[in-house]
Amino acid sequence: MKRRTLLLSIITLLLFSSNAWANEKESTSHIRSYDSGSLIQSDGSFWLWGYNQSVPTRVEGKSDVVKTFSNIINEGDLVFSLQDHSAWYVPRNNIAESVKFVPLEGLQNLAAVSSLNDHVLALSSEGSISYADRLDNGNISSPFQTLSGLDEVANIDSYYEERPDYEERWIFLKKDGSVWKNTKALQGFEPISSLKDITAIAKNIALKKDGTVWTWPKEFDKNVTPSETLSVSQIQALSGIKTIKADRYSNLAIDQQSRLWFWGATVTGSSDNTTYHNENTPVLLTGVKDVKDAFFVERSILALTTAGNVYVASLDGEKLSSNAPFTLLAKNIQSIKAGPRHVIMQKADGALWGWGVNKHAQLGIGDYEFLYSSPVPVQKPILVRLNGSPVPLSNGAITRNGQAFIPLRSVFDKLGAEIAYDFNSKIANMNQSKTEDHSVSLEVNFKTSQTKVNGKAVKLTNPPFMVNGIGYLPLRLLSETLGAKVDWIQKEDTIEITTK
């Protein structure tokens, strides 16, 4: 009887009560750390989004995550470590699959992860290197094996080297400032004797302690057999550099005066007609000042200033001039985490905002619009509890116009309701009939928004909707007249449903 009464009460809340959250002030952020596709709350709970999860969704059974590493294997993939120092992998390269968690055997005390072509390398906090093969589907094999001949490593990076075929090249920065490379595949390692007192590496560039930047070629004359010994040279235009960044085609540097430098490739065309135009001489970009950090994202440069402003400049064109225009993108930003095609930015108030490609819900906003050219707010993580216990959700709760919506099968499954969905008609039916005299039914047509309770049509102020095949119903907040109590605990971003 209690379950039947609660179900009817929740349906009543869904349909009739007023919008009680619309005038609520934004709650304080509870985010302890975040990445480009996941976050950890201050209570230790782990949330992720992207692919099947269009908004931040709480991960059950993984409440002791201490660190995450995103976009390591494929875009959207995630590696994370737990308090027990174990490492786990979340492959996200198949939109039809639910979230999977794969233990990475042989890894402990993870400090960094990098992948390229055939291999995945992992760096431990002690400075040792382990490796695993990449499978044909791009995922990681297991267990990891320790690489001999390398220790006291501080950082790793990788790039392709054309000699004349593409070779997998790994660079290792040791804690003593020396740089090492693999000789072929992962069969051997040797120091690059001309690189000493190095503080940072990025692809085929290295930053010395004295602020100079050094580089070596990635391409070689196909008619000449290249030597395995790297020919390292200083980039004369750069001095007093404190930060270097690089992707596969281009490079950035920030100097002691917080000025931004660029060299490498700009882009014209797309798909099979994409052309890269290389400029090896660094260009001082005068369109932005006081740069704190910078990123390459989806044919663009993003620059975060010390004042918390984010500016964007396009890499489209045959050349990037010194006075290339930078456009203000966002204000009050304290940090940025970048994926290959999008960024997640955290504002001073702790709120997360996304920008860029959203094809696979990378921005966590609750839809799959391909691109957002202006920043949009990442959906706040909302916990749903039933009688004090978290309700596992296939996808997180979504708020629209100050109102919460929950996935169709979430709370109703917990209450023992039978749920049926017709994919052709887009009609969902929920039935709870513990006794013959007290049955409850709810029918929702997601095409027309027509809704019936016990066979009677009702009018909805805010209709249900679907996101990526998941039906959402509005959960309103006011009535307690039928025995159920539904509260919005603002300071905890929690919906509390109580039957007691």
Side-chain angles (χ1 to χ4, degrees):
M1 178 66 72
K2 285 186 177 181
R3 283 193 170 187
R4 177 261 167 199
T5 303
L6 176 59
L7 183 61
L8 183 58
S9 177
I10 290 179
I11 291 173
T12 302
L13 294 176
L14 294 176
L15 302 177
F16 299 116
S17 54
S18 61
N19 188 346
W21 295 355
N23 296 321
E24 296 264 17
K25 293 182 180 179
E26 288 293 317
S27 63
T28 304
S29 171
H30 305 296
I31 297 172
R32 187 173 76 197
S33 63
Y34 75 101
D35 214 318
S36 60
S38 66
L39 62 86
I40 302 172
Q41 292 275 63
S42 55
D43 64 0
S45 60
F46 180 44
W47 304 65
L48 56 77
W49 63 90
Y51 291 84
N52 266 4
Q53 286 65 46
S54 64
V55 296
T57 303
R58 179 185 165 105
V59 175
E60 301 300 324
K62 295 289 184 293
S63 60
D64 54 352
V65 177
V66 295
K67 194 171 184 180
T68 59
F69 310 85
S70 64
N71 303 302
I72 300 302
I73 316 304
N74 306 290
E75 183 182 3
D77 283 2
L78 183 73
V79 172
F80 61 88
S81 58
L82 302 180
Q83 287 180 354
D84 63 5
H85 308 298
S86 64
W88 295 74
Y89 170 51
V90 184
R92 307 301 301 278
N93 58 349
N94 189 336
I95 197 168
E97 293 184 357
S98 58
V99 176
K100 294 182 179 180
F101 301 97
V102 181
L104 296 180
E105 299 176 11
L107 288 188
Q108 289 283 315
N109 301 318
L110 196 60
V113 187
S114 184
S115 69
L116 181 68
N117 203 27
D118 297 331
H119 298 103
V120 179
L121 267 62
L123 171 65
S124 74
S125 56
E126 294 83 11
S128 62
I129 300 290
S130 300
Y131 78 97
D133 296 331
R134 290 183 66 177
L135 303 176
D136 291 339
N137 62 4
N139 295 338
I140 308 175
S141 65
S142 190
F144 274 69
Q145 303 177 56
T146 301
L147 278 179
S148 59
L150 284 173
D151 57 10
E152 295 296 315
V153 177
N155 200 7
I156 54 178
D157 209 340
S158 61
Y159 65 93
Y160 287 114
E161 202 171 80
E162 191 174 0
R163 297 178 151 262
D165 296 326
Y166 283 111
E167 288 191 13
E168 188 177 300
R169 184 64 67 197
W170 294 90
I171 299 295
F172 307 88
L173 172 61
K174 285 199 173 187
K175 296 177 182 179
D176 62 5
S178 64
V179 177
W180 291 57
K181 69 179 182 70
N182 64 313
T183 53
K184 187 174 180 62
L186 293 174
Q187 299 173 7
F189 308 93
E190 63 182 23
I192 304 174
S193 58
S194 53
L195 291 180
K196 298 178 180 179
D197 297 323
I198 300 299
T199 60
I201 54 174
K203 304 304 178 189
N204 71 319
I205 58 175
L207 175 63
K208 276 195 174 184
K209 186 177 180 179
D210 62 5
T212 58
V213 180
W214 298 72
T215 187
W216 50 93
K218 291 188 290 186
E219 297 181 2
F220 297 84
D221 190 335
K222 294 183 179 182
N223 298 318
V224 178
T225 302
S227 169
E228 279 291 337
T229 303
L230 289 183
S231 176
V232 179
S233 60
Q234 181 182 351
I235 301 177
Q236 296 296 331
L238 298 175
S239 62
I241 300 299
K242 61 180 181 181
T243 303
I244 56 173
K245 293 288 186 74
D247 67 3
R248 182 173 178 179
Y249 301 103
S250 304
N251 310 277
L252 293 169
I254 304 171
D255 64 21
Q256 296 292 343
Q257 301 175 57
S258 298
R259 299 180 302 178
L260 185 62
W261 297 77
F262 166 84
W263 69 105
T266 56
V267 190
T268 56
S270 60
S271 300
D272 293 338
N273 295 319
T274 300
T275 302
Y276 294 92
H277 308 270
N278 285 296
E279 175 54 65
N280 293 323
T281 302
V283 175
L284 175 62
L285 301 177
T286 60
V288 63
K289 298 179 180 179
D290 301 321
V291 177
K292 175 183 177 181
D293 207 348
F295 309 86
F296 289 114
V297 181
E298 189 62 7
R299 297 170 66 147
S300 299
I301 298 173
L302 261 65
L304 172 63
T305 69
T306 53
N309 296 326
V310 179
Y311 294 88
V312 60
S314 174
L315 286 173
D316 284 328
E318 296 184 1
K319 187 177 182 180
L320 188 67
S321 63
S322 177
N323 62 352
F326 278 80
T327 302
L328 180 63
L329 189 66
K331 295 182 178 181
N332 301 318
I333 302 298
Q334 62 180 11
S335 63
I336 296 177
K337 299 298 176 66
R341 310 188 73 185
H342 78 289
V343 296
I344 301 297
M345 304 175 282
Q346 187 170 41
K347 288 199 170 187
D349 63 2
L352 298 182
W353 289 68
W355 173 86
V357 171
N358 187 54
K359 179 181 179 182
H360 299 306
Q362 295 99 315
L363 304 186
I365 192 176
D367 63 32
Y368 290 80
E369 291 291 329
F370 183 82
L371 175 71
Y372 281 94
S373 56
S374 297
V376 291
V378 176
Q379 174 70 62
K380 293 177 66 175
I382 296 177
L383 178 65
V384 179
R385 285 200 298 247
L386 177 60
N387 291 330
S389 298
V391 178
L393 302 179
S394 60
N395 205 322
I398 294 177
T399 56
R400 291 187 177 179
N401 300 319
Q403 193 175 22
F405 293 77
I406 58 172
L408 181 66
R409 294 184 178 274
S410 55
V411 175
F412 298 98
D413 259 350
K414 280 286 186 179
L415 295 174
E418 295 180 357
I419 303 172
Y421 179 72
D422 189 305
F423 286 91
N424 294 321
S425 65
K426 300 294 188 294
I427 294 177
N429 286 281
M430 288 176 288
N431 293 280
Q432 223 280 9
S433 54
K434 289 297 182 181
T435 65
E436 293 182 1
D437 297 332
H438 298 88
S439 62
V440 179
S441 67
L442 173 65
E443 180 183 291
V444 179
N445 188 321
F446 284 94
K447 282 185 177 179
T448 66
S449 297
Q450 185 182 53
T451 304
K452 297 179 181 179
V453 176
N454 289 338
K456 296 181 179 181
V458 295
K459 185 178 180 180
L460 294 177
T461 303
N462 293 291
F465 56 85
M466 299 196 75
V467 176
N468 194 37
I470 298 174
Y472 277 85
L473 299 176
L475 178 62
R476 305 242 185 140
L477 190 64
L478 206 55
S479 174
E480 297 178 11
T481 59
L482 296 177
K485 184 180 180 182
V486 182
D487 292 319
W488 166 240
I489 306 175
Q490 183 184 10
K491 65 180 181 179
E492 299 178 10
D493 296 328
T494 298
I495 297 169
E496 186 74 61
I497 303 172
T498 307
T499 62
K500 298 176 182 179

